[in-house]
Amino acid sequence: ENGYDCWLGYKQIEDEVRREDALRVSSRYAIIGESPLLRTAGKELAVALSAMLGHVELGHLSERQEGKQGGIVVAGVYGSSPVFEPLAEVYDFAGLGEEGYIIHSSEEGGRIYLCAASDKGVLYAVFHFIRLLQTGQRLEGLRIREVPRNGLRMINHWDNMDGSVERGYAGGSIFYKDGRFIEDKSRIRDYARLLASTAINAVSINNVNVHRQESKLITDEFLPDVAVVAGIFREYGIRLYLSVNYASTIEIGGMATADPLDAEVAAWWKQAAADIYRYIPDFGGFVVKADSEFRPGPFTYGRNHADGANMLADAIAPFGGDVIWRCFVYNCLQDWRDRKTDRARAAYDHFMPLDGEFRDNVMLQIKNGPMDFQVREPVSPLFGGMTKTNQLLELQIAQEYTGQQRHLCYLIPQWKEVYDFDTHACGERSTVGEIASGRLFGRERGGIAAVSNIGDDLNWCGHVLAQANWYGYARLAWNPDLSAEQIASEWIRMTFGLDEDLERVILDMLLGSYSIYESYTAPLGVGWMVNPNHHYGPNVDGYEYSKWGTYHYADRVGMGVDRTVHTGTGYVGQYHAPVAESYESLADCPDELLLFFHHVPYLHVLQSGKTVIQHIYDTHFEGAEQAAELLAKWDSLASKVDSGRFKHVRERLAHQAEHACEWRDMINTYFYRKSGIADEQDRLIY
Ligand code: BDP
């Protein structure tokens, strides 16, 4: 095995009793109705059932009356056939929306209904039903009603047309090569299928840093290709988006300005939108990174980001498109000597004053933290700051700062913390999840986007176990209440089969991995300490005296960034009470974020009772040990995992164990030498 099938490698159900049970209720299937999405659903059901049960037939609804043996799975849209009528007595169909669905087994057990209010819902129901089979669930008495909690569940690709992937750790692009689209689209189709199986409904297919070649994606030169790709995604219920160059009017339009208030600029974009929709009638819209890390934007013309976003929004609104405007805007040429220019403040400072000024079809895409996908950051205060603006949560599945898919780092626990974070914007339970979905402030648009971790590596993610982050991201986007453990065990069963021991070991590895990674890298929320540019491996001062502005301010006495209102950068003031109070207070600030908010002496005593310096030593020694244990745990599965995937994961874990030692030594030595304070346990520090 090479991992290519991910969680959809359907295998015959080994347990005979279970297989017989499953055959009894689902040896036949019928899809009611005809459409591209229903065809996709039917194909998937046929492939899955025949692989798992060893046998499947296309059934007809009348057969039961004719006395044919065996149950039947009936999938279709409510209202398209009288067979679904009785379901209305049990379920509220009105609230299902465009994507919700019902899975119901009839009382007498002869039928399983996969029913929704739309074709897309039927497709999702089919994949859910398949998941029940894969994960060994009982098929009797099914009473499932699912409605997604987030409207937009999106993946952002950072793919360049030369075939490279920015922050890609799994090979090259599956879309492009040498400046053009890849001819063979089969990989894209396989990808769309994997996405649909987890109910992802939107994808942007090019890097947010839009260079010259990619700027042309919205022109006649490439739109025919984009349309082909959009067509493949459409068959799986996924809308395609493009990242656009804010200064396209200059870059490809031959104009001298990109001023959003210039009538000719606006007219140019209206025409561009019309062109796009001629090729792709259901085009999703634009993703925009403006005035950030040297990308052009409205600031050049003395305009603000509402001016820029609204101009694009007006151009695309008549066609039903959206603008996804990123809030990752900060000055990347700051000065470490001036603590008042705090990068963490930037997004809020730029966007908060514009709250309420964006068009309805604009969504602001906000990274989970104020910095940049570190292993530990506080949640961005823009969530709950803005109340009159559509907000999207941006996560990074790609492990840019969390081991680049060479280290195991199951990120679902981190994301759960983000979703569940209570901003207190309207009292208790004003969580990020409620805000991003749009529910808290009654906004129609909202959801989640995340930077993809896939590439053209045979196993998609570089690390087979990193597939769990991709899968988990999508499952959580559908329902943020799922637990990290539930998601992991689903994924393990679907990926490696049903084996209790194997599941226990991999579950333990996945669930422990985030905290292990955190413990041997930058301590107590201070972040960074990676090598500049590629961001892999330890480098304590890599960004310390750099204009990119991510500092720890370590000296011989102490370390950390004072972001308090009273003595620091004032960043803490961007939060609501009581969150702000707890971050402001040295005594109450959670340990794991202490150095993000406070500059303290190495001998400062944490809530845990340890000094900061001893905490650093302990976590780094323990973290490196635990990384080695991950390898040992995997080794215990040698007889349970196929040799292809076993060897591949083993090689990654061996590297991680070694690399964790490098992290440990670099960080411990640095702080030992800075502070001159010995390790209480007298372990070896160079
Ligand atoms: C950072 C990446 C950079 C991206 C940027 C972004 O290092 O490559 O372009 O974020 O989100 O994490 O725009």
Side-chain angles (χ1 to χ4, degrees):
E1 299 236 3
N2 52 30
Y4 186 82
D5 291 335
C6 297
W7 52 89
L8 296 183
Y10 307 130
K11 297 266 160 43
Q12 171 139 16
I13 297 176
E14 279 172 27
D15 183 307
E16 240 172 77
V17 178
R18 246 188 12 88
R19 196 171 65 243
E20 286 303 317
D21 281 351
L23 265 172
R24 209 164 21 249
V25 289
S26 51
S27 63
R28 293 175 301 135
Y29 74 98
I31 304 278
I32 297 177
E34 186 22 62
S35 79
L37 279 174
L38 290 176
R39 258 199 305 280
T40 305
K43 249 194 296 182
E44 197 65 35
L45 208 45
V47 171
L49 292 177
S50 69
M52 286 191 277
L53 309 182
H55 166 87
V56 73
E57 280 173 38
L58 198 57
H60 297 286
L61 289 176
S62 56
E63 283 173 9
R64 241 181 103 247
Q65 284 87 22
E66 288 160 14
K68 251 209 147 190
Q69 291 299 303
I72 183 164
V73 180
V74 187
V77 172
Y78 182 75
S80 69
S81 156
V83 291
F84 298 126
E85 291 296 297
L87 295 177
E89 286 161 27
V90 191
Y91 301 96
D92 154 36
F93 272 89
L96 278 186
E98 217 227 313
E99 301 185 304
Y101 57 84
I102 278 154
I103 301 182
H104 178 94
S105 23
S106 65
E107 298 290 337
E108 62 288 11
R111 284 185 186 177
I112 292 178
Y113 296 107
L114 310 179
C115 185
S118 74
D119 295 353
K120 209 207 271 189
V122 175
L123 179 64
Y124 292 161
V126 162
F127 276 115
H128 188 142
F129 175 68
I130 293 171
R131 185 165 69 234
L132 295 177
L133 281 170
Q134 287 177 287
T135 53
Q137 310 297 312
R138 291 178 60 82
L139 302 177
E140 288 87 49
L142 294 173
R143 297 280 183 279
I144 295 170
R145 181 178 183 275
E146 288 271 337
V147 178
R149 290 269 292 281
N150 288 295
L152 192 77
R153 302 177 303 278
M154 184 178 207
I155 300 266
N156 292 165
H157 283 272
W158 286 1
D159 293 29
N160 302 312
M161 290 189 78
D162 64 6
S164 64
V165 177
E166 181 157 326
R167 310 307 176 187
Y169 311 109
S173 173
I174 64 162
F175 298 103
Y176 320 100
K177 200 177 173 194
D178 303 331
R180 318 209 68 79
F181 277 82
I182 291 172
E183 197 82 7
D184 178 359
K185 303 283 191 295
S186 51
R187 183 104 198 211
I188 297 177
R189 178 171 294 280
D190 292 343
Y191 178 53
R193 172 176 170 251
L194 284 160
L195 292 182
S197 75
T198 55
I200 290 293
N201 64 5
V203 64
S204 61
I205 61 164
N206 63 303
N207 192 357
V208 288
N209 295 315
V210 185
H211 302 289
R212 188 165 167 75
Q213 187 73 352
E214 294 82 18
S215 298
K216 294 190 286 187
L217 283 169
I218 57 169
T219 67
D220 285 328
E221 184 177 349
F222 289 118
L223 277 171
D225 293 302
V226 180
V228 171
V229 175
I232 295 173
F233 282 120
R234 185 179 303 120
E235 287 176 43
Y236 293 87
I238 299 162
R239 269 176 105 180
L240 181 137
Y241 292 66
L242 290 172
S243 296
V244 293
N245 183 334
Y246 178 77
S248 292
T249 47
I250 301 172
E251 186 82 43
I252 54 173
M255 295 171 59
T257 179
D259 181 350
L261 302 190
D262 181 302
E264 280 177 43
V265 169
W268 188 91
W269 278 105
K270 283 205 163 82
Q271 187 55 51
D275 291 343
I276 295 169
Y277 280 87
R278 250 191 309 116
Y279 287 96
I280 310 163
D282 59 349
F283 179 66
F286 300 138
V287 177
V288 192
K289 172 177 180 177
D291 290 314
S292 170
E293 300 182 333
F294 311 113
R295 302 316 302 153
F299 285 165
T300 309
Y301 310 96
R303 313 297 184 195
N304 66 38
H305 279 222
D307 297 328
N310 290 343
M311 182 273 291
L312 293 177
D314 289 342
I316 206 168
F319 307 97
D322 290 338
V323 170
I324 296 178
W325 190 273
R326 298 178 80 233
C327 294
F328 187 59
V329 179
Y330 70 100
N331 174 11
C332 60
L333 298 174
Q334 295 176 94
D335 190 333
W336 59 273
R337 284 162 299 198
D338 178 6
R339 292 191 192 196
K340 287 288 170 199
T341 62
D342 176 7
R343 173 171 166 179
R345 295 186 56 123
Y348 187 99
D349 285 346
H350 284 303
F351 286 93
M352 194 52 201
L354 302 176
D355 189 24
E357 290 185 23
F358 293 91
R359 298 283 190 267
D360 282 346
N361 64 328
V362 174
M363 288 175 263
L364 294 192
Q365 182 167 312
I366 307 165
K367 288 193 184 186
N368 62 280
M371 299 300 266
D372 194 9
F373 303 132
Q374 300 304 292
V375 67
R376 177 74 63 178
E377 290 186 43
V379 163
S380 169
L382 260 182
F383 294 111
M386 295 188 296
T387 59
K388 301 185 284 282
T389 304
N390 302 322
Q391 300 168 53
L392 280 185
L393 168 62
E394 176 176 334
L395 302 171
Q396 193 184 42
I397 316 173
Q399 294 170 236
E400 177 176 358
Y401 295 97
T402 48
Q404 304 197 349
Q405 285 135 249
R406 299 180 75 188
H407 291 230
L408 175 63
C409 189
Y410 178 60
L411 287 165
I412 313 305
Q414 185 199 50
W415 299 336
K416 289 281 298 176
E417 285 181 25
V418 175
Y419 275 104
D420 293 344
F421 179 78
D422 195 345
T423 66
H424 289 268
C426 323
E428 275 176 30
R429 285 195 287 280
S430 304
T431 61
V432 169
E434 287 297 295
I435 293 167
S437 69
R439 255 191 314 276
L440 191 67
F441 300 123
R443 314 230 35 110
E444 264 181 34
R445 287 177 174 75
I448 314 291
V451 183
S452 156
N453 69 344
I454 71 116
D456 70 355
D457 273 4
L458 210 50
N459 67 24
W460 302 89
C461 295
H463 198 315
V464 165
L465 300 184
Q467 291 173 359
N469 284 332
W470 171 17
Y471 177 84
Y473 160 73
R475 295 288 290 129
L476 217 48
W478 179 271
N479 179 8
D481 287 341
L482 294 172
S483 73
E485 180 169 352
Q486 213 171 324
I487 292 172
S489 80
E490 255 178 32
W491 177 79
I492 295 165
R493 291 175 185 204
M494 294 166 82
T495 305
F496 291 103
L498 303 182
D499 178 316
E500 278 176 28
D501 293 336
L502 170 136
E503 183 173 335
R504 193 175 26 77
V505 173
I506 302 183
L507 201 56
D508 175 62
M509 292 174 66
L510 289 177
L511 292 177
S513 61
Y514 169 60
S515 113
I516 294 174
Y517 186 82
E518 180 174 21
S519 63
Y520 60 75
T521 55
L524 299 167
V526 74
W528 306 90
M529 301 191 177
V530 289
N531 284 301
N533 306 319
H534 61 71
H535 299 160
Y536 193 68
N539 185 341
V540 180
D541 282 338
Y543 278 113
E544 193 56 19
Y545 307 101
S546 134
K547 292 206 172 289
W548 286 78
T550 58
Y551 314 120
H552 55 64
Y553 296 103
D555 58 23
R556 69 201 165 89
V557 183
M559 71 184 299
V561 192
D562 185 353
R563 293 193 160 103
T564 63
V565 173
H566 286 99
T567 52
T569 69
Y571 167 76
V572 168
Q574 297 181 344
Y575 292 93
H576 293 283
V579 181
E581 277 80 358
S582 93
Y583 289 158
E584 182 81 9
S585 147
L586 192 53
D588 295 341
C589 183
D591 281 352
E592 73 262 18
L593 285 170
L594 186 76
L595 299 180
F596 191 92
F597 287 112
H598 296 273
H599 185 86
V600 298
Y602 295 114
L603 290 174
H604 171 81
V605 179
L606 297 166
Q607 290 174 22
S608 69
K610 286 185 187 178
T611 62
V612 166
I613 191 74
Q614 194 56 42
H615 172 94
I616 293 175
Y617 296 150
D618 288 351
T619 50
H620 285 75
F621 280 115
E622 282 158 18
E625 262 170 44
Q626 290 167 333
E629 283 162 21
L630 286 175
L631 176 62
K633 286 174 184 167
W634 183 255
D635 277 343
S636 74
L637 299 176
S639 63
K640 292 187 181 278
V641 177
D642 54 280
S643 67
R645 289 185 297 183
F646 180 79
K647 275 199 213 126
H648 151 83
V649 170
R650 188 179 199 287
E651 172 259 312
R652 299 262 148 169
L653 291 170
H655 167 76
Q656 177 177 3
E658 211 178 290
H659 201 223
C661 295
E662 193 180 323
W663 270 100
R664 173 198 66 198
D665 293 339
M666 190 89 87
I667 302 243
N668 281 347
T669 303
Y670 179 97
F671 288 105
Y672 173 58
R673 291 190 189 167
K674 271 264 151 135
S675 70
I677 301 169
D679 170 30
E680 282 169 3
Q681 295 186 44
D682 209 19
R683 285 162 294 196
L684 183 64
I685 299 178
Y686 298 93

